[in-house]
Amino acid sequence: MTRRARPFAGRVIATTEQAPTTTVGALPAPVCDLLAAIVDALDVPLADRPADDKLRANLLSLRAADTRVIAELLLTHGDITRSTARLREWTAQHPVTYSTWQARTVQAMAEEQCLLDSEGGERR
């Protein structure tokens, strides 16, 4: 739902209107590509160690700023394909350089499975 402010007798009141909806898969491919690039840019995994939390925060802040710039350029120039490519380039220039919590979790699960396999047990 979208909230819009409307003037009424010298003051502003808020109304709630239903936002337009689209069928899943109805977005044009370039729009889907741009949205995927935005998700990829802002998907900054959690740090495994508290000492790396600042690195994560800085990376997320940088990528969010890059994403905002791309959105602004897109609104100004309208070249969605080039904007998407540029966002992907900028995201690739700033990779995750710290150990992630998600990687440690996957590793621990794999180690646990290997241990269970060597003992003849099964993981449930």
Side-chain angles (χ1 to χ4, degrees), residues 72-86:
E72 186 176 336
L73 288 172
L74 182 58
L75 290 172
T76 303
H77 301 291
D79 188 347
I80 194 167
T81 303
R82 187 171 181 193
S83 296
T84 301
R86 179 62 53 93

Side-chain angles (χ1 to χ4, degrees), residues 51-118:
D52 291 332
D53 285 344
K54 186 157 178 88
L55 288 173
R56 178 191 183 271
N58 289 342
L59 180 61
L60 182 57
S61 179
L62 177 68
R63 287 187 178 185
D66 287 349
T67 302
R68 188 203 59 76
V69 168
I70 290 297
E72 186 176 336
L73 288 172
L74 182 58
L75 290 172
T76 303
H77 301 291
D79 188 347
I80 194 167
T81 303
R82 187 171 181 193
S83 296
T84 301
R86 179 62 53 93
L87 181 57
R88 290 196 183 281
E89 289 170 13
W90 287 355
T91 300
Q93 289 173 1
H94 303 286
V96 173
T97 58
Y98 53 86
S99 298
T100 66
W101 176 82
Q102 291 88 336
R104 181 176 56 89
T105 303
V106 170
Q107 180 183 356
M109 288 174 54
E111 289 171 355
E112 179 183 358
Q113 187 61 49
C114 284
L115 182 63
L116 289 172
D117 290 346
S118 69

Side-chain angles (χ1 to χ4, degrees), residues 6-22:
R6 291 189 179 166
F8 179 74
R11 49 181 199 171
V12 177
I13 60 170
T15 62
T16 303
E17 297 176 12
Q18 178 66 38
T21 59
T22 59

